Amino acid sequence: DQQVKQNSPSLSVQEGRISILNCDYTNSMFDYFLWYKKYPAEGPTFLISISSIKDKNEDGRFTVFLNKSAKHLSLHIVPSQPGDSAVYFCAASGVYGGSQGNLIFGKGTKLSVKP
Amino acid sequence: DVKVTQSSRYLVKRTGEKVFLECVQDMDHENMFWYRQDPGLGLRLIYFSYDVKMKEKGDIPEGYSVSREKKERFSLILESASTNQTSMYLCASSSPTGIGHQPQHFGYGTRLSIL
């Protein structure tokens, strides 16, 4: 049973436009959420995170929004650049996932930003 | 910057061989993790460790074992390699959540092929 779901396997966006990547979770005990970016043949790179006490966190072109009532988070990238083309993983952590940093990952969304 | 180093980027082994994947981190992190990543399946946790000589099973431990003799080093062992263990293997480390939620930092990964 998937606790963290990324329902879109892929997303294609034009350079300069906004990219919105979505993630849903089922476990209300999750209290920390992260986004990772992964290029082929490399390990995931931590991008941005948000605690459940917030509903928004911003870092440069990247903003993560958390809607706890809907158990939904999203990553906005504005403006999108060709170098953003990668697979993006959503991850969650909380009491259920282990008390010492265990993460539950979604299956990823492949973002393609076209020039 | 956190550095997580995996001993090999690419590795080819034969069925039945005993395979060792090594991971070293330089940030004095207590927590270390081994994942495998397969297309369409995301990252799946194999084993993790919260401290030296401690280990815990993740979601898919069958066919694997681990060793943590030193804080900075976490080894993944394939006892008798099989073709279904062909995958990308990712090592990660993090600080304990006792000081607040911390992201995991990943190595570049080892692309392992079992022939």
Side-chain angles (χ1 to χ4, degrees), chain A residues 69-88:
Chain A
S69 60
K71 294 192 179 66
H72 177 84
L73 67 155
S74 60
L75 175 68
H76 292 211
I77 306 174
V78 183
S80 301
Q81 299 173 353
D84 295 329
S85 297
V87 176
Y88 289 78

Side-chain angles (χ1 to χ4, degrees), chain A residues 31-32 34 36 38 41-44 46 89 99-103 105-107, chain B residues 9 31 33 35 37 40 42-43 48 50 88 90 97 101 103-104 106-108:
Chain A
D31 61 358
Y32 180 57
L34 309 87
Y36 283 85
K38 186 181 182 300
E42 290 187 11
F46 169 68
F89 290 99
S99 60
Q100 299 196 40
N102 285 18
L103 298 177
F105 284 87
K107 293 186 177 181
Chain B
R9 294 288 294 268
N31 303 338
F33 308 84
Y35 295 88
Q37 186 209 352
L43 277 71
F48 57 99
Y50 294 152
M88 168 74 98
L90 295 160
T97 54
H101 282 295
Q104 292 180 16
F106 285 82
Y108 265 89

Side-chain angles (χ1 to χ4, degrees), chain A residues 8-75:
Chain A
S8 299
S10 62
L11 176 67
S12 185
V13 171
Q14 206 68 32
E15 180 179 7
R17 305 294 290 268
I18 184 171
S19 294
I20 300 176
L21 296 104
N22 293 304
C23 180
D24 297 297
Y25 61 96
T26 57
N27 195 324
S28 57
M29 298 300 288
F30 289 145
D31 61 358
Y32 180 57
F33 304 88
L34 309 87
W35 284 95
Y36 283 85
K37 174 182 177 179
K38 186 181 182 300
Y39 293 118
E42 290 187 11
T45 302
F46 169 68
L47 206 52
I48 192 168
S49 64
I50 188 167
S51 166
S52 60
I53 62 173
K54 295 186 174 181
D55 54 20
K56 177 182 174 181
N57 189 25
E58 195 171 348
D59 184 0
R61 294 186 298 115
F62 302 92
T63 303
V64 55
F65 295 91
L66 176 62
N67 182 335
K68 289 187 289 294
S69 60
K71 294 192 179 66
H72 177 84
L73 67 155
S74 60
L75 175 68

Side-chain angles (χ1 to χ4, degrees), chain B:
Chain B
D1 269 0
V2 176
K3 191 166 184 184
V4 179
T5 303
Q6 295 183 229
S7 52
S8 305
R9 294 288 294 268
Y10 301 94
L11 206 54
V12 180
K13 296 291 182 181
R14 296 205 174 273
T15 303
E17 279 193 72
K18 191 168 186 176
V19 181
F20 293 85
L21 302 182
E22 306 287 344
C23 175
V24 177
Q25 49 91 8
D26 66 355
M27 282 301 292
D28 203 34
H29 282 167
E30 279 79 4
N31 303 338
M32 295 190 75
F33 308 84
W34 275 106
Y35 295 88
R36 63 178 281 178
Q37 186 209 352
D38 300 288
L41 296 179
L43 277 71
R44 293 181 293 167
L45 183 63
I46 305 171
Y47 266 96
F48 57 99
S49 169
Y50 294 152
D51 203 347
V52 176
K53 299 206 183 285
M54 289 182 65
K55 59 185 178 184
E56 297 284 344
K57 292 180 179 179
D59 299 320
I60 51 165
E62 295 78 19
Y64 303 95
S65 63
V66 290
S67 172
R68 185 128 183 240
E69 296 297 318
K70 293 185 178 181
K71 190 176 185 179
E72 67 271 19
R73 187 179 295 270
F74 194 34
S75 304
L76 179 70
I77 303 154
L78 284 67
E79 297 291 344
S80 176
S82 64
T83 54
N84 62 13
Q85 292 178 309
T86 291
S87 186
M88 168 74 98
Y89 288 87
L90 295 160
C91 176
S93 72
S94 71
S95 299
T97 54
I99 57 172
H101 282 295
Q102 300 291 328
Q104 292 180 16
H105 298 274
F106 285 82
Y108 265 89
T110 297
R111 174 74 64 185
L112 175 64
S113 297
I114 307 296
L115 304 179

